[in-house]
Amino acid sequence: MKLILETKRLELREMSLDDVDFVASMLSDPAVMQFYPKRYTRGEAQVWVERQIARYDEHGHGLWLVQDKTTGEPVGQVGLVQQFIEETAETELGYLIHRQFWRQGLATEAAQGCCEYAFCRLQKEQLISLIRPVNTPSQGVAKNVGMNWNGRRVQHANLEHYVFSILQAEWRELSSHS
């Protein structure tokens, strides 16, 4: 399994079918999935992992498994996903941490690592995050990495989402002050 990036506490690597049990546990948890249209069965979680593997081949990125650097224990999935928003291809920064690992700053840490990867390694000009209006924890993570909501709303998966975004130049400016 290909290691993509490391942060102070985390490793992000490509998923494999060996990760289906963890992903299924996370995607079936009612608290984790409260802002998604539904919870996923184990079979649907396997399709989810297979879709990420296909994204790695097609786009060079997707959602990656996030694991604790010290223990190797999986804690969630964070990564970069190609989305079509209003018929335009955009790169979304997505993050989902399993409930027992909440409130430790792991989503922000992994998301910051993904921003650096996207802007420095992949030379992306902009990242977006699609966030439901009621999902204030996710909005907090977006703000923590320097994203802003400029009032743009879209329908995605038949639900209203705010589009948070950050340009490479904005990220570089913020990073230079850290």
Side-chain angles (χ1 to χ4, degrees):
M1 292 162 284
K2 182 179 174 186
L3 180 66
I4 303 300
L5 65 97
E6 293 182 55
T7 67
K8 182 178 178 185
R9 299 178 290 169
L10 305 169
E11 294 177 334
L12 280 68
R13 65 163 175 82
E14 290 185 350
M15 287 190 221
S16 76
L17 292 178
D18 292 338
D19 300 312
V20 169
D21 288 340
F22 170 76
V23 173
S25 166
M26 187 171 57
L27 297 182
S28 66
D29 185 291
V32 172
M33 300 303 287
Q34 67 183 311
F35 301 113
Y36 280 73
K38 67 175 194 155
R39 293 181 301 180
Y40 288 71
T41 66
R42 188 181 191 292
E44 291 168 327
Q46 179 169 332
V47 170
W48 179 285
V49 171
E50 290 169 348
R51 187 168 47 250
Q52 302 320 309
I53 294 168
R55 285 174 168 157
Y56 307 150
D57 290 338
E58 185 176 347
H59 303 292
H61 53 76
L63 293 172
W64 298 304
L65 189 81
V66 180
Q67 54 192 35
D68 181 284
K69 225 174 171 172
T70 306
T71 66
E73 182 178 17
V75 301
Q77 61 180 7
V78 178
L80 306 169
V81 177
Q82 201 71 25
Q83 298 283 12
F84 280 90
I85 309 300
E86 298 169 335
E87 301 180 25
T88 301
E90 300 198 46
T91 303
E92 179 185 17
L93 170 63
Y95 36 88
L96 193 62
I97 301 295
H98 209 332
R99 179 177 19 173
Q100 61 264 38
F101 304 104
W102 286 358
R103 293 174 185 70
Q104 299 175 38
L106 300 178
T108 294
E109 183 175 329
Q112 286 170 330
C114 286
C115 285
E116 182 174 353
Y117 185 86
F119 292 134
C120 297
R121 300 262 315 267
L122 301 179
Q123 295 299 309
K124 297 287 185 182
E125 288 300 316
Q126 174 179 267
L127 291 177
I128 65 162
S129 283
L130 300 172
I131 304 173
R132 301 269 312 279
V134 294
N135 189 347
T136 54
S138 187
Q139 291 175 31
V141 172
K143 290 173 185 173
N144 287 344
V145 300
M147 290 185 155
N148 292 297
W149 179 56
N150 66 3
R152 184 176 171 203
R153 303 168 191 249
V154 297
Q155 289 292 312
H156 182 73
N158 297 316
L159 296 167
E160 181 185 32
H161 287 75
Y162 291 163
V163 181
F164 280 73
S165 63
I166 187 168
L167 296 170
Q168 184 187 110
E170 295 169 331
W171 180 83
R172 288 191 184 282
E173 177 68 21
L174 287 172
S175 297
S176 71
H177 297 297
S178 323

